[in-house]
Amino acid sequence: GSLLATDPAGAFRAAMVGVNEEMHAAPAVDDSMSGTTAVAALVAGGALHVANVGDSRAVAGVWRDGRVAAEELSWDQTPFRADERARVKACGARVMSVEQVEGVRDPDAEGWLADEGDPPRVWARDGLYPGTAFTRSLGDLAAEGVGVIADPEVKTVEITPAHLFFVVASDGVFEFLSSQEVVDMVAMHQDPRDACAAIAAESYKLWLEHENRTDDITIIIVHIRDAQNVLQGVTKRTPAAPGRR
């Protein structure tokens, strides 16, 4: 508790790494090829501290130039990022999409597009595992040997009067919705429960339009202060999918 107050980043790192080790050690948990992303937010002393492991995401809604703008509070840790790609490769990983593994595409090509085909994945040098589309996680013991680690990246932002709310959500939300689109949908609803329902419904609909499956869709919305006066001035438009609980 005291570490959280004096050194939030250090506390987050100790917690994430500790949970990862506990997952490996737990006899009832086989985390060799299974794990989870994690993103956590702490509001303390006028600041917002966000720790991220994997490709879930945190984003703030900030009033700027007459509209609510998205401010990224975390950076997705995936092989799309050149720095993360270099880090896992230095640990012995191969980085390829499924198409490259199957020989449909040049295995050395690196021009992956975020909205096109299978994403780049992390593979062991000697086998077709673990195939993770993220470069950090909790659990995933088999992937740890090729650099898929549990160390979080921590970002701290000062909360200003323009900070209206923040959103913490899993990658199933952000697969087909941008941070700005999510922030726009939050701004349409005074009750964050309605916004959660609308974003979850829209995410679900988009998954089924693009794939024959859905990924994890989890969303938390926190209003930083009573921002209703500002939000009442935001143009109300009907969301593409009605909110369903």
Side-chain angles (χ1 to χ4, degrees):
S2 59
L3 186 63
L4 196 57
T6 57
D7 180 12
F12 272 138
R13 287 194 179 91
M16 298 287 192
V17 170
V19 167
N20 186 55
E21 288 168 357
E22 285 181 29
M23 288 171 70
H24 295 343
V29 177
D30 177 5
D31 72 345
S32 57
M33 299 285 276
S34 131
T36 180
T37 64
V39 60
L42 169 70
V43 178
L48 179 55
H49 308 276
V50 175
N52 182 51
V53 175
D55 58 354
S56 291
R57 189 182 301 174
V59 58
V62 184
W63 188 254
R64 194 177 290 147
D65 300 325
R67 61 189 281 269
V68 183
E71 177 185 36
E72 303 290 355
L73 300 174
S74 65
W75 303 273
D76 299 359
Q77 294 145 355
T78 76
F80 279 113
R81 270 175 55 176
D83 57 342
E84 286 291 283
R85 200 159 62 236
R87 188 181 58 73
V88 296
K89 282 183 167 182
C91 296
R94 297 179 298 156
V95 176
M96 293 186 289
S97 66
V98 167
E99 289 102 337
Q100 289 173 296
V101 169
E102 291 174 346
V104 179
R105 193 164 165 250
D106 175 5
D108 296 319
E110 286 202 336
W112 305 281
L113 298 172
D115 300 322
E116 201 173 289
D118 191 63
R121 298 176 180 275
V122 179
W123 307 92
R125 192 170 279 162
D126 60 350
L128 289 182
Y129 71 93
T132 62
F134 45 82
T135 52
R136 303 192 193 201
S137 73
L138 306 181
D140 290 304
L141 183 59
E144 219 162 272
V146 284
V148 180
I149 54 173
D151 293 17
E153 290 180 301
V154 182
K155 178 170 181 174
T156 297
V157 299
E158 291 300 315
I159 296 172
T160 71
H163 283 82
L164 307 179
F165 56 81
F166 64 90
V167 179
V168 178
S170 64
D171 55 314
V173 170
F174 293 110
E175 182 75 25
F176 300 111
L177 292 172
S178 68
S179 294
Q180 186 62 54
E181 285 170 325
V182 169
V183 162
D184 288 343
M185 292 180 78
V186 176
M188 287 178 214
H189 299 274
Q190 289 193 345
D191 189 329
R193 292 170 295 185
D194 294 337
C196 282
I199 292 163
E202 180 69 1
S203 301
Y204 190 78
K205 181 172 81 78
L206 288 168
W207 268 101
L208 294 182
E209 282 176 12
H210 289 86
E211 308 253 359
N212 58 3
R213 66 183 185 93
T214 65
D215 201 354
D216 181 279
I217 296 170
T218 303
I219 181 163
I220 300 166
I221 298 169
V222 179
H223 283 190
I224 293 175
R225 53 173 54 80
D226 183 7
Q228 282 194 336
N229 292 340
V230 174
L231 289 180
Q232 279 171 348
V234 176
T235 305
K236 296 286 191 297
R237 58 190 176 88
T238 309
R244 292 189 293 276
R245 284 198 178 79

